[in-house]
Amino acid sequence: SDETPLKVIKGIDKNDVKSKNSYIWALSTGKGYKNATYYMVSNRSSSTIQEFFDEKNVKLMCDGYNAYYCSPNITPVSCMVHIRRNFAKLNKIDKAHQAKGCYTVKILDAFAKIFNMEKEITSKFSDFEEIKKERNEKLKPLYDELFKIIDDAALRALPKSALGKALIYAQNYKSTAYNVFLDGRLEIDNNESERKIKDIVIGRKNWLFCFSESGAEATCKLYSLIMTALQNNIDPKKYLHLLIPKFGISDLEKNDAK
């Protein structure tokens, strides 16, 4: 899951444009499910994601946004790319964090081993129970190695330094990062949903905002249909031509979507 801001116009009064900041959320199915992406517009509170999943218990790959971690019906799976990102930035901008044997380099090397092993496992096995088994046998020790380095470094680094903050962030999401070992269908990163939200971000550069809440909802519906079609190698135009006569566009008409 991922989300991005969206400006929604609420009205125009004497040339004064009234707007509110909403968010578009992108949720993608994981491995082992039919390919689908669902977009919805709402605020950024935890109640949004809780209401979407209702009382269903789900495992959700996500970044570090707090809303995912305070929902009782969600088991969050923390993105390893997000945890790595702070160390990668340090390594890129500070020569002190590029020296062989320093903690930043050790941590990035440990991440490289994890991503290489994950690629090896998922390219070799398609059965999700096998993936789960292989991960627990081969990938989990690499997680242990990584977080041991992080824990050791945290004892020595200044908490308010850039390295200290990166280490604290990693430690905060350590337990939820291990949730990936609960199910072979889970990913170790949130890249899939981030790619889906990127389509909204690129589009938003052109259309800038939605003129009403109903228009924002209609936008999400169309994006959901089009992106799901693309995921399944279906021509979106033909897909819409098939769906509209079959189901109509009453929802869009009700919402006055243009």
Side-chain angles (χ1 to χ4, degrees):
S1 177
D2 202 9
E3 71 287 332
T4 189
L6 173 70
K7 183 175 284 189
V8 177
I9 305 300
K10 296 192 73 176
I12 300 176
D13 182 25
K14 295 180 180 179
N15 295 322
D16 180 26
V17 178
K18 297 177 181 179
S19 65
K20 76 170 186 176
N21 290 322
S22 296
Y23 280 81
I24 287 183
W25 298 66
L27 297 108
S28 297
T29 53
K31 294 176 181 176
Y33 299 93
K34 291 181 180 179
N35 290 330
T37 297
Y38 179 77
Y39 295 92
M40 63 178 178
V41 63
S42 187
N43 56 44
R44 208 182 179 212
S45 71
S46 59
S47 61
T48 296
I49 202 76
Q50 287 178 36
E51 288 169 10
F52 175 78
F53 288 114
D54 196 13
E55 294 180 0
K56 300 180 184 74
N57 291 313
V58 297
K59 300 179 185 74
L60 187 68
M61 166 52 66
C62 53
D63 56 25
Y65 180 47
N66 189 55
Y68 300 117
Y69 295 83
C70 57
S71 302
N73 55 330
I74 292 175
T75 300
V77 185
S78 295
C79 174
M80 291 297 276
V81 169
H82 277 80
I83 295 173
R84 178 187 180 277
R85 194 169 290 167
N86 295 320
F87 300 105
K89 285 179 183 176
L90 268 177
N91 180 255
K92 186 176 181 180
I93 64 174
D94 193 336
K95 289 184 178 180
H97 293 281
Q98 298 169 4
K100 187 176 180 180
C102 75
Y103 277 116
T104 303
V105 171
K106 285 181 181 178
I107 289 167
L108 290 174
D109 287 345
F111 269 110
K113 290 179 185 177
I114 286 171
F115 290 122
N116 288 336
M117 180 55 69
E118 170 67 6
K119 185 177 180 180
E120 182 181 316
I121 292 170
T122 53
S123 61
K124 187 176 180 181
F125 299 97
S126 57
D127 180 82
F128 302 115
E129 285 302 316
E130 283 289 338
I131 290 174
K132 179 181 175 180
K133 180 174 174 289
E134 289 291 311
R135 278 178 174 169
N136 277 278
E137 289 179 1
K138 298 178 180 178
L139 190 63
K140 199 170 185 178
L142 298 180
Y143 269 58
D144 294 340
E145 179 185 325
L146 167 68
F147 284 104
K148 185 180 184 307
I149 298 169
I150 288 171
D151 290 342
D152 288 345
L155 295 174
R156 296 167 174 78
L158 294 172
K160 292 187 178 180
S161 67
L163 176 60
K165 290 177 181 178
L167 293 166
I168 291 169
Y169 181 92
Q171 288 179 314
N172 286 342
Y173 295 102
K174 175 181 176 178
S175 62
T176 45
Y178 273 86
N179 285 339
V180 76
F181 298 105
L182 297 174
D183 193 322
R185 293 170 296 186
L186 296 168
E187 307 274 359
I188 69 170
D189 59 57
N190 198 36
N191 290 350
E192 181 67 22
S193 287
E194 291 198 357
R195 282 192 289 269
K196 296 301 185 298
I197 209 71
K198 189 176 180 182
D199 292 301
I200 295 286
V201 172
I202 292 170
R204 190 181 57 204
K205 289 181 180 179
N206 294 294
W207 41 263
L208 302 178
F209 57 85
C210 287
F211 218 100
S212 66
E213 291 183 11
S214 55
E217 290 171 6
T219 297
C220 287
K221 289 176 184 179
L222 286 171
Y223 263 96
S224 298
L225 291 171
I226 291 168
M227 293 309 299
T228 297
L230 290 172
Q231 276 184 270
N232 290 278
N233 299 314
I234 297 170
D235 184 325
K237 187 175 180 180
K238 291 180 180 178
Y239 187 52
L240 291 176
H241 278 199
L242 174 69
L243 291 180
I244 290 173
K246 190 171 183 179
F247 297 104
I249 55 171
S250 58
D251 285 343
L252 298 182
E253 289 171 340
K254 270 187 229 173
N255 288 331
D256 295 320
K258 304 296 183 182

